[in-house]
Amino acid sequence: MAQILDGAPVRDAIYSECRPRIAALRRPPGLAVVLVGHNPASQIYVRKKVQASHELGIHSETLAPPDSISTEDLLAVVAELNRRPEIDGILVQMPLPPQVDSKRILLAVSPEKDVDGFHPCNVGNLVTGRSGPKSCTPAGIVRLLHHYQIPIAGRHAVVVGRSDIVGKPMAMLLLHENATVTICHSKTQDLAGICRQGDILVAAMGRAAALTADFIKPGATVIDVGTNRIADRAEAARIFRNSKEKLEAFDRRGNLLVGDVNPLDVAEVASAYTPVPGGVGLLTVAMLMMNTVDSAERRLGGRHAA
Ligand code: NAP
């Protein structure tokens, strides 16, 4: 039986680390979340981040400018947050509406308040192994691998996906952990053959259950970052091989969440894997909280002060 790498105990361990650090600060850490418009998925993500902040005693503010906001007006919102001393972390929820220049917005967030780790300064810090906020999802995955004592050094890690927020920082963090890293993308030839070489396989492509048994090395550790909502019953039936329980769940909700890895195949072939939901997703929020606490400590002269 493959081991299920449950994200919940890892999240709890991160929160247990955060609580005394928050209590030791002279004021609560401050996190500002900018949520433009009414994208339903973004609203859910932001709600989870605000909830986690409340649980931990992090002061959080959500700013909700309208869908029609211009780049200049959003830059002004960010500039004001950069200026406010009680705000330690700024998160601009992506995606932004098409008229907004997302790159300019991300560049405008002060690197010291960039709790998503997306600013080029922080990407540079990551590449050169310096301290600073790291992209939350990949940082959470490294925490998870450590938590479950999965060896990384010397092993071949295959990362499928090369986005700036997941694939690239994931590959870099695994490299810093001394894995031999291969990055795959949509132009990779013989994707299955390369994935099958991975002692650690990280799937971050956004394609529902695309990695099937023949992409997984027997005994591998599989980390599934994908979050894909399946609204087609026939597709759900195919992925879950007509599982009565899953199809009943589909009928109740009208959709099912699946990762990028086939959930039944991975349980049969891998030695350990993260479930979807309940795996990586929990850690993304937890690492955002950790990055906010780190930032507050740096800014208030706590234990991380340089
Ligand atoms: P993204 O920006 O769309 O990037 C997807 C990457 O996958 C791209 O590099 C793309 O290659 C590659 N790809 C797409 N189809 C492929 C194929 N058939 N074969 C090989 N490579 C393929 O996505 P993302 O933001 O990195 O997110 C990836 C997934 O993770 C999504 O499902 C997202 O919802 C999920 N996610 C989850 C969390 C979480 O907390 N659980 C956090 C972030 C993201 P090209 O570069 O060649 O186009």
Side-chain angles (χ1 to χ4, degrees), residues 83-141:
R83 201 193 50 73
R84 286 175 52 192
E86 75 283 16
I87 296 296
D88 303 297
I90 302 170
L91 179 154
V92 183
Q93 186 65 44
M94 296 288 151
L96 292 171
Q99 79 279 4
V100 176
D101 183 341
S102 302
K103 288 203 167 156
R104 271 184 78 196
I105 301 297
L106 292 181
L107 203 59
V109 173
S110 161
E112 66 159 9
K113 296 189 179 186
D114 164 40
V115 281
D116 258 336
F118 293 165
H119 193 285
C121 282
N122 290 320
V123 175
N125 285 335
L126 169 66
V127 172
T128 53
R130 288 160 205 260
S131 68
K134 294 178 177 56
S135 187
C136 299
T137 304
I141 291 169

Side-chain angles (χ1 to χ4, degrees), residues 137 161-163 165-166 185-186 191 204-207 225-227 281 284:
T137 304
R162 56 173 164 182
S163 70
I165 62 167
V166 187
H185 47 78
S186 66
L191 183 65
M205 50 201 297
R207 300 276 180 271
V225 186
T227 46
T284 300

